[in-house]
Amino acid sequence: MKKVLFIFTALALWVAGAQEKKIPQGHGNTSKFRQLYDLLPTPNMYRSADGAPGPAYFQNRADYVMDIELVDDPEQPVLKGEETIIYYNNSPQPLQHLWVQLDQNRRMEDNFTELTTSDGDNIMLRPGDFIARFTDRKYKGGYTIHYVKDAKGRDLPYDINYTMMRVDLPEPLKPGEKYAFKIKWEYNINNLRQGWARSGYEEFEDGRRLYAIAQFFPRMAVYSDVEGWQTNQYIGTGEFALPFGNYTVNIKAPAHFVIDGTGKLVNRQEMFTREQWMRWLKAMRTFDRPVRVITPEEAENNFPRGEKTYKTWQFKANDVRDFAFAASPRFIYDAMGVKIGGKTKMAIAMYPPEARPIWEKYGVKAVAHTLRTYSDMLFDYPYHKAIAVNVYRQGMEYPMISWNYGRANPDGTYSDRLAKGVISVIIHEVGHNWFPMVVNSDERQWMWMDEGLNTFIQLRSEQMWEKGFPSRGYPKDLVDFLLSDQSRMQPIMVNADQMYNRGKTAYHKTAAGLYILREVVLGHDRFDRALKTYANRWKFKHPTPADFFRTMEDASGTDLDWFWRGWFFTTDVNDIGIKKVTRFYVTDKPTSRVKAMARGYGMKLKDFPVFVSLVAEDSPDFDPSLKKKKDILRQTPALKEYLKKEYGLKPDEVKYPKYFYRVTFEKNGGLVMPIVLVITYEDGTKEKKIYPAEIWRFNDKEVSKLIVTDKEIVKLEIDPENITADVNPDNNVWPREEKNEGEKREKEKAEPGY
């Protein structure tokens, strides 16, 4: 019986031991500092590992010759066009067909945007929008394609898929060849005051109109080494992916209209009156103030006289990715010269009389300021002019021309906030001439590559306009958004048409990230050099996100994969706090650790090397007498003897610290971020220390730093200016600052969100 009992007992113990034994489960590399190999495409002959175009890089191009007619019909204005497209296949791939973008089909009956948009519970419309959407006065949009023919006039088969049209070729277009074909089209121009639109017309009380015409002609899609044909539908949020080309455009319009747009106005002298032409010549020689080329009186009195006649405005533009124009008999026209790289560029503002009080003061000056500052930060403005046009509720950009909001009250008054808004929108929209008009990224995919980068440069330009200008893009202003509902939060690296809050995600968060890189991670000189390198490498080319990330690392000599991964590919937030501050004291007496080391080596303490230790007040090795030490070198025999023996110096001949602190930082947020620490000393002076993000590479939750000083520390604060978008200031200060009861209640009532 005893033997059986023994066997069962042994078996039970064995089973228990087996159950208690834990088998470790393996895992992959979870470090926040791992390389981006899992997220970025592999470098190749088209795009190099350093972010530069590769030796086999290519891009196709498209040239256009267009005859456009603007029909200013009082019932329904129409735009008509006949265009010839010459498409150049510079790729190594034969092309079976061509893809053409038909953006105006976004407004066709049963368009893709409406069919793929969920209608919410609370549908709120302006009266004009309601009438235009639900009654028999509904706007009838979309292209009428009259024909698609080859250069010899033979019909080409084509298929329209909402906003994309495939044109089938009679035979493949081989590498190095070009192909010419023609499209005749027309569409009804939409009213800008009804619904949301990037182009269209607005009508004034006197019956005259202002036309802001863009995305108006069938445009070639991009064929690249990354996407092949970019055929994403134009839904409205994701903007454009377009090849570069040369344009010859003739625009027929009522004779009393004034028109300007992308490219050189070839027959400007013929189109202007003699007086206007002389003023234009003066503007080209004037660099310190705007010159009024078309006066308010001329704009106010510009009505058709007698039988309706027409003029044809002729434009030529080289190396642009698009074409847009503005037309109206009501334009006031201001201009001035701007010297960029030894060449004269023209800054132009076109606006109706309603905008005059603001625009005559700020319009041209804001354009000129943008040309100067952006050229200095990136590369010299490559085109001969930049135009800002005042258009109802607009902020939109095209090569050399942009639409911008902002009009005074009927009595001519306006607020300072509106004036700054006009300056800001002009800087932003004119600034888009760099991103994406020249550095030609795929807006349909990656909104941040133009909007975010431009918002960052805009912020810097605005501060050059006026220090303290209320700019968008600062990290501290992003905190409320970062604290909002994570179920509606998305990484920056999300397709433009799938983005919930593009203003905060693509614009603000991208700009804030670049601000952090410049101010905290890389420093001004290194960051500025890297961004300039990217802009110059990819001007007049098609960069991707990987090209940007890799160029910034290559040009700065800094591994930034941790930053791209956290800030661009996740919705993690930054929360670094001060967990504990410990004061240390100096002793050369053997501590418990020294004694343990001596035992480990089998040595007696008297024979063991002398160590100088830093001990905390709560340590068992702490001796209260250490607090009384005022002269560390003189009162610590080991240090005093070492100085004398090795250097022949006395303690008072050496500068040394008096205070030793260990600061323990905790990281509660998922983001990796440098630690920006501001130290305040007893005499009121302050010191800033920046510990690089790599301090977190071995411990993602907690790290400690020893701070040694000859002055007592009275306050420690993490990032008081919040240039790292720290979402929780409550743990940033030591000693802790207790909030009063009123502040606590207000914080409890406040709901985070945007």
Side-chain angles (χ1 to χ4, degrees), residues 65-124:
V65 177
M66 295 192 286
D67 291 313
I68 308 299
E69 182 179 358
L70 175 60
V71 181
D72 184 39
D73 187 281
E75 294 297 319
Q76 174 60 66
V78 177
L79 196 69
K80 300 179 179 181
E82 295 183 59
E83 65 185 82
T84 297
I85 303 174
I86 305 97
Y87 188 73
Y88 299 80
N89 182 16
N90 298 320
S91 81
Q93 184 76 20
L95 302 177
Q96 307 290 330
H97 51 254
L98 306 177
W99 280 100
V100 178
Q101 303 180 66
L102 303 178
D103 282 13
Q104 289 300 322
N105 279 0
R106 184 191 174 277
R107 299 187 171 278
M108 65 190 289
E109 190 79 20
D110 295 328
N111 63 75
F112 191 82
T113 303
E114 289 186 4
L115 293 173
T116 59
T117 300
S118 175
D119 294 317
D121 294 331
N122 298 310
I123 300 175
M124 183 174 66

Side-chain angles (χ1 to χ4, degrees), residues 64 83 99-101 103 215 217-221 240 242 322:
Y64 298 81
E83 65 185 82
W99 280 100
V100 178
Q101 303 180 66
D103 282 13
Q215 302 152 243
F217 60 99
R219 304 177 296 176
M220 288 303 304
F240 319 120
L242 299 161
D322 202 359

